[in-house]
Amino acid sequence: MGQLQEKYKSYREPQKYMAAGVYPYFRAITSKQGTEVDMDGHHILMFGSNAYTGLPGDPRIIEAAKKALDKYGTGCAGSRFLNGTLDLHIQLEKELAEFVGKDETLCFSTGFSVNQGVLPVVVGKGDYIICDDRDHASIVDGRRLSFARQLHYKHNDMADLERVLQALPHEAIKLIVVDGVFSMEGDLCKLPEIVELKHKYNCSIMVDEAHGIGVFGRQGRGVCDHFGLTDEVDLIMGTFSKSLASIGGFIASDSDTINWLRHSCRTYIFSASNTPAATAAAMEALHIIQQEPERIEKLWKVTNYALRRFKEEGFEIGDTESPIIPLYVHDVEKTFLVTALAYEAGVFINPVIPPACAPQDTLVRFALMATHTEEQVERGVQALKKIFKEQGIIQ
């Protein structure tokens, strides 16, 4: 047995939960994504999806993807830098730039690779990158690859952010990177206060809109638009894998910054370009959310219903202001148990444990789609209420 095998043969943490019958990961779905899915032979309510607009199974998007397959084939066999750019990519980039209110955008093959690639080259040696403690893992990995000095502040704590900024040179490049909507807890960044600090301490701002696009702002333009602060944000990142019903991501900024990134960002230059079908699907989803404002209205109607019902039943849901509703458990073992019991009761939810949260803040994540009904939410609330009471989590 080699050194690597020796190193990892003792890693049996997943097997412990498998043996206990509460391992929650990698369950196979055998139907389209939707509010109810077929999984492991069960028909189950889906409250673990990021498809806020409810579009992954929309026939218009499926048809757009099929047409792209017929015209362009299955892949591009190269990077955007060389032979992998389609007119489809260019069109989507133009439409996204207009949508989020920036000069230009670049489209990437995944949302993760946007943050992983942009952060190392947009700031460098002699610069500073300042992140919220609860920023997404892709931001964490991206900043780790940068030669900039890396700093962080307590979650949504503007006094702590100011404490960090006060110690930095006024003339240095300082980039504050923050999630627009925090993906586990569902709360929003304090963008108006961050913008105030930007001007006070001569900073730049990058906002990750992965969970904001299709949810907040005019026609789903995101948290920056929601606060009316798009012009104050220097870089806006977004994904296709949530509200845009596809796979991929983008970065939007001014033309000069995009020109730099287009010729220096390694995850853009050295990754194969996004597939024709995925690109066409994202573009069609972008059209739909602009043409159907009632879709986002439905999302907020069912979200507000769920927020009210969970509060009424005594669940601890933190500071969420979004379709992401954290149901706090505060115990790793119970978090796995609750997830397993919910699955048995026909409700799919996501467990959130370290490193995605602090050990004392474990939770299950209940997320809404525009296509959920109040009746479906109520079924979920009642099932979870029974489980949480039986486990002594709520009274």
Side-chain angles (χ1 to χ4, degrees):
M1 185 176 287
Q3 289 175 309
L4 282 177
Q5 290 76 16
E6 283 289 340
K7 180 177 181 180
Y8 296 118
K9 71 177 183 180
S10 62
Y11 174 61
R12 290 295 178 267
E13 192 72 7
Q15 283 68 30
K16 179 180 80 172
Y17 292 107
M18 289 176 188
V22 296
Y23 184 74
Y25 305 119
F26 303 107
R27 295 187 184 276
I29 297 173
T30 57
S31 63
K32 291 177 183 176
Q33 286 278 351
T35 58
E36 300 189 27
V37 300
D38 296 323
M39 184 182 290
D40 291 340
H42 301 284
H43 191 72
I44 193 166
L45 280 166
M46 174 52 71
F47 290 109
S49 174
N50 293 320
Y52 305 115
T53 52
L55 286 172
D58 190 285
R60 293 166 292 181
I61 294 176
I62 294 170
E63 183 60 27
K66 286 179 178 178
K67 287 181 178 178
L69 278 170
D70 289 338
K71 181 175 181 179
Y72 300 99
T74 56
C76 299
S79 73
R80 290 290 306 279
F81 200 62
L82 298 173
N83 65 298
T85 291
L86 304 176
D87 55 355
L88 205 60
H89 295 128
I90 295 170
Q91 181 62 30
L92 178 56
E93 287 175 339
K94 288 179 179 177
E95 292 191 21
L96 283 167
E98 182 178 354
F99 183 67
V100 299
K102 291 297 175 188
D103 293 346
E104 295 186 46
T105 67
L106 295 180
C107 287
F108 291 65
S109 300
T110 68
F112 198 103
S113 66
V114 178
N115 287 334
Q116 193 178 44
V118 168
L119 292 176
V121 296
V122 79
V123 287
K125 190 174 182 180
D127 302 334
Y128 297 84
I129 183 169
I130 307 103
C131 297
D132 187 289
D133 269 345
R134 295 186 187 172
D135 277 349
H136 189 262
S138 59
I139 295 174
V140 174
D141 282 7
R143 68 174 172 81
R144 284 173 175 169
L145 292 171
S146 173
F147 289 109
R149 185 179 173 190
Q150 299 170 30
L151 303 166
H152 59 88
Y153 59 95
K154 296 174 185 176
H155 176 55
N156 262 348
D157 187 331
M158 295 298 98
D160 197 45
L161 173 56
E162 183 160 22
R163 175 192 63 79
V164 171
L165 295 175
Q166 283 174 337
L168 304 182
H170 184 78
E171 67 281 0
I173 291 176
K174 300 174 287 294
L175 180 65
I176 302 168
V177 187
V178 65
D179 285 352
V181 181
F182 291 93
S183 59
M184 296 298 108
E185 297 85 1
D187 52 337
L188 307 189
C189 70
K190 296 183 178 179
L191 191 57
E193 292 91 333
I194 292 172
V195 167
E196 288 181 15
L197 293 174
K198 164 189 174 172
H199 291 293
K200 186 173 181 180
Y201 294 99
N202 190 33
C203 302
S204 300
I205 301 172
M206 175 174 167
V207 175
D208 181 327
E209 288 276 24
H211 298 269
I213 296 290
V215 179
F216 289 91
R218 295 167 300 140
Q219 297 177 306
R221 284 176 165 84
V223 171
C224 298
D225 185 87
H226 168 74
F227 285 116
L229 293 171
T230 296
D231 290 343
E232 296 283 1
V233 175
D234 302 273
L235 297 112
I236 295 175
M237 175 270 180
T239 59
F240 305 154
S241 57
K242 298 170 176 63
S243 288
L244 296 183
S246 185
I247 184 71
F250 69 89
I251 190 72
S253 190
D254 63 278
S255 295
D256 290 333
T257 301
I258 293 297
N259 178 54
W260 165 251
L261 292 172
R262 183 180 284 117
H263 297 91
S264 63
C265 182
R266 294 170 69 86
T267 59
Y268 180 77
I269 295 172
F270 296 104
S271 289
S273 58
N274 211 358
T275 66
T279 305
M283 187 150 55
E284 182 63 21
L286 184 64
H287 297 164
I288 291 170
I289 65 173
Q290 292 178 86
Q291 293 162 3
E292 298 180 358
E294 66 273 12
R295 184 171 293 271
I296 297 175
E297 291 171 8
K298 288 178 181 177
L299 172 62
W300 278 105
K301 181 180 178 183
V302 75
T303 294
N304 289 328
Y305 177 82
L307 288 168
R308 176 173 63 81
R309 290 294 294 119
F310 279 120
K311 288 178 183 177
E312 288 172 350
E313 297 295 352
F315 287 84
E316 181 187 347
I317 64 172
D319 298 320
T320 182
E321 301 176 63
S322 72
I324 300 166
I325 305 178
L327 308 175
Y328 283 91
V329 179
H330 299 297
D331 180 281
V332 172
E333 305 298 326
K334 278 191 177 181
T335 299
F336 279 122
L337 179 58
V338 164
T339 304
L341 292 172
Y343 183 79
E344 290 174 12
V347 179
F348 186 95
I349 49 177
N350 293 313
V352 180
I353 62 167
C357 66
Q360 69 275 13
D361 292 331
T362 66
L363 58 96
V364 291
R365 183 181 183 273
F366 187 100
L368 282 308
M369 295 180 252
T371 42
H372 275 122
T373 66
E374 291 183 2
E375 183 272 335
Q376 288 174 320
V377 170
E378 191 60 35
R379 283 159 54 196
V381 170
Q382 291 302 325
L384 292 170
K385 173 186 173 183
K386 182 175 184 292
I387 294 165
F388 271 58
K389 282 191 172 182
E390 288 173 348
Q391 298 305 315
I393 302 167
I394 61 174
Q395 300 301 312

